[in-house]
């Protein structure tokens, strides 16, 4: 995603400590959370290697009490369909990818579908997958920078993925890298169809949650419920068909900027042929920033898809004072004005939802709202059920 600003100074209340400073603290969590210390059953009610729930259950623990100490090693072993990875409390400082593509065809070369990851303590604060690459970070092999997609801590490319009680994070900070202008730093990039997240957290600054698909012509359905997402610039973005149900979005404060806007919550890039983009329902948007310093959304029309027709519906959601109520939408490029996109609201509340300039806040009619539902967006897929 394009950088909104290049001035680099400290940004967040979150005091990230680099892992190189000694396994340290990330995102306000100790490397081994208190719940894990001395815990006789690191996998809670989900069994253990000695009492495996079923042959397709794998156990991950950074302290060595599972089958694997890293998430990626467990993913590599989970060939075929239907595996469950149970993650013991801890901070997993690594990059993870599910689904490898053939560079010649662009198609996935493995089929580890219908995979589930479970945070064993059933508290997402206890299980953290985190790394610190950014768009402009140089690759170790000298082949260039990672780019936005390559910056992702976790990349999920297979269909039927489910996560419960896990934090996905990218703790790269602008202030630590004043020489880098490519400040996009993705916590998770989700590309598979039927991807579901229950009670998860997504932490970062710019481009935190990349809800996308494998290819332009592929429509990927995703579902997020009771999740928490924080960031500043375009921190929920991409072309997926995604439903955010009872989620909490939080905009961060910025000390490097003197004036609004500090950033944008949503930046959908829905393909023109896709009838369903982002749906936010029964959620809330809060802020650490001053009143009105954030826009609710701006449309992203990527250079790779100049026909994109971004779609966002926000309904029955509480918009806090951090959202600019007078002009909640803005352009990423004046060539593609937001008024030409598929942006709409319905029955939102809160100080950020007050309608003072009606033409700046397009509203659904009650008839239109009848199809702006989870069921319509997800079709024949009910999240949480095996196919």
């Amino acid at each position: 995603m394009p950088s909104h600003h290049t001035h680099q100074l400290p940004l967040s209340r979150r005091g990230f400590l680099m892992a190189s400073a000694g396994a340290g603290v990330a995102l306000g969590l100790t490397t081994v959370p208190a719940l894990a210390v001395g815990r006789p059953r690191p996998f809670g009610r989900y069994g253990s290697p000695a009492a495996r729930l079923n042959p397709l259950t794998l156990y991950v623990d950074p302290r060595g009490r599972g089958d694997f100490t890293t998430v990626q090693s467990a993913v590599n072993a989970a060939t075929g369909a239907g595996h469950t990875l149970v993650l013991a409390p801890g901070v997993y400082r690594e990059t993870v990818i599910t689904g490898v593509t053939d560079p010649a065809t662009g198609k996935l070369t493995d089929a580890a579908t219908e995979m589930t990851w479970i945070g064993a303590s059933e508290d997402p604060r206890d299980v953290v997958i985190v790394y610190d690459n950014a768009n402009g970070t140089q690759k170790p092999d000298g082949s260039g920078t990672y780019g936005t997609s390559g910056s992702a801590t976790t990349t999920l490319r297979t269909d039927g993925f489910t996560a419960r009680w896990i934090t996905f994070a990218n703790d790269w900070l602008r202030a630590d890298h004043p020489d880098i202008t490519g400040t996009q730093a993705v916590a998770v990039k989700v590309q598979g169809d039927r991807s579901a997240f229950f009670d998860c957290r997504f932490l970062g600054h710019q481009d935190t949650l990349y809800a996308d698909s494998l290819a332009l012509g592929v429509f990927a359905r995703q579902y997020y419920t009771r999740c928490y997402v924080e960031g500043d610039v375009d921190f929920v973005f991409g072309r997926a068909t995604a439903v955010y149900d009872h989620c909490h979005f939080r905009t961060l404060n910025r000390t490097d900027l003197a004036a609004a806007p500090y950033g944008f919550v949503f930046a959908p890039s829905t393909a023109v042929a896709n009838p369903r983009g982002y749906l936010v329902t029964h959620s809330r948007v809060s802020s650490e920033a001053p009143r009105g310093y954030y826009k609710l959304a701006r449309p992203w029309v990527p250079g790779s898809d100049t026909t994109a027709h971004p779609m966002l519906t926000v309904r029955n959601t509480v918009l806090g004072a951090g959202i600019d109520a007078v002009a909640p939408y803005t352009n990423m490029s004046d060539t593609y004005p937001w008024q030409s996109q598929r942006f709409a609201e319905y029955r939102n509340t809160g100080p950020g939802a007050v309608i003072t300039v009606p033409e700046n806040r397009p509203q659904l009619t009650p008839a239109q709202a009848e199809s702006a539902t989870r069921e319509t967006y997800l079709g024949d897929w009910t999240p949480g059920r095996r196919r």
Side-chain angles (χ1 to χ4, degrees):
M1 297 288 292
S3 286
H4 181 54
H5 297 279
T6 58
H7 196 50
Q8 314 291 323
L9 285 173
L11 299 180
S12 172
R13 61 173 170 77
R14 293 190 278 110
F16 292 154
L17 298 183
M18 304 301 288
S20 58
V25 173
L27 310 163
L29 300 175
T30 57
T31 301
V32 180
L35 284 177
V37 176
R39 173 187 284 251
R41 297 176 59 214
F43 304 107
R45 63 188 178 95
Y46 296 98
S48 68
R52 202 175 301 275
L53 296 189
N54 65 62
L56 296 180
T57 302
L58 303 176
Y59 298 90
V60 189
D61 176 26
R63 301 176 70 190
R65 296 168 292 181
D67 300 308
F68 305 94
T69 58
T70 67
V71 179
Q72 186 65 63
S73 59
V75 168
N76 294 344
T79 57
H83 280 83
T84 295
L85 274 54
V86 181
L87 279 57
V91 171
Y92 297 84
R93 179 160 284 276
E94 58 177 304
T95 58
V96 185
I97 183 169
T98 69
V100 179
T101 57
D102 183 330
T105 65
K107 295 183 178 180
L108 293 177
T109 58
D110 63 38
T113 58
E114 316 306 322
M115 181 184 292
T116 298
W117 297 1
I118 295 174
S121 72
E122 302 184 21
D123 184 335
R125 294 172 297 181
D126 294 335
V127 176
V128 182
I129 303 172
V130 59
Y131 210 73
D132 60 348
N133 286 330
N135 177 336
T137 302
Q138 290 288 334
K139 295 180 181 179
D141 63 5
S143 63
T145 59
Y146 282 101
T148 298
S149 290
S151 75
T153 297
T154 302
T155 304
L156 303 167
R157 313 194 71 184
T158 49
D159 292 341
F161 177 86
T162 299
R164 298 179 185 272
W165 306 297
I166 294 173
T167 292
F168 298 89
N170 189 317
D171 62 357
W172 187 90
L173 288 175
R174 298 178 180 98
D176 294 336
H177 304 276
D179 56 317
I180 292 179
T181 57
T183 57
Q184 300 88 344
V186 178
V188 63
K189 181 172 184 177
V190 187
Q191 296 178 278
D193 186 36
R194 295 179 291 104
S195 299
F197 298 82
F198 299 85
D199 303 285
C200 289
R201 299 194 307 163
F202 304 89
L203 308 182
H205 285 269
Q206 183 171 355
D207 290 10
T208 304
L209 172 54
Y210 195 170
D212 206 50
S213 70
L214 277 173
L216 176 59
V218 177
F219 301 161
R221 295 164 296 174
Q222 300 172 14
Y223 180 66
Y224 303 80
T225 187
R226 301 183 304 276
C227 291
Y228 172 86
V229 193
E230 70 176 29
D232 48 42
V233 178
D234 304 329
F235 63 94
V236 182
F237 73 113
R239 66 174 170 239
T241 293
V243 176
Y244 305 93
D245 184 8
H246 289 86
C247 290
H248 178 191
F249 304 90
R250 186 157 179 83
T251 60
L252 298 175
N253 198 16
R254 299 185 65 168
T255 59
D256 60 322
L257 301 180
Y262 278 1
F264 322 88
V265 182
F266 301 100
S269 58
T270 322
V272 66
N274 190 350
R276 309 288 175 208
Y278 286 179
L279 172 64
V280 181
T281 180
H282 294 88
S283 296
R284 67 183 174 117
V285 179
S286 67
S287 182
E288 309 180 340
R291 188 181 188 97
Y293 268 51
Y294 271 86
K295 302 293 188 180
L296 184 60
R298 61 179 183 171
W300 178 31
V301 179
S304 59
D305 179 22
T306 56
T307 66
H309 194 198
M311 181 179 185
L312 168 70
T313 296
V314 181
R315 64 170 300 169
N316 302 97
T317 289
V318 179
L319 304 180
I323 297 299
D324 179 357
V326 175
Y329 306 107
T330 190
N331 299 336
M332 188 175 295
S333 166
D334 290 342
T335 305
Y336 307 101
W338 73 264
Q339 293 91 341
S340 300
Q341 313 309 324
R342 294 177 284 180
F343 283 6
E345 300 178 54
Y346 186 69
R347 292 187 177 177
N348 295 322
T349 58
V354 175
I355 300 173
T356 57
V357 183
E359 59 266 32
N360 287 349
R361 310 205 71 145
Q363 303 288 312
L364 297 181
T365 65
Q368 291 170 329
E370 289 181 3
S371 62
T373 64
R374 179 186 69 178
E375 291 77 13
T376 299
Y377 273 59
L378 302 184
D380 63 357
W381 170 49
T382 301
R385 292 183 183 176
R386 296 282 191 190
R387 284 176 71 86

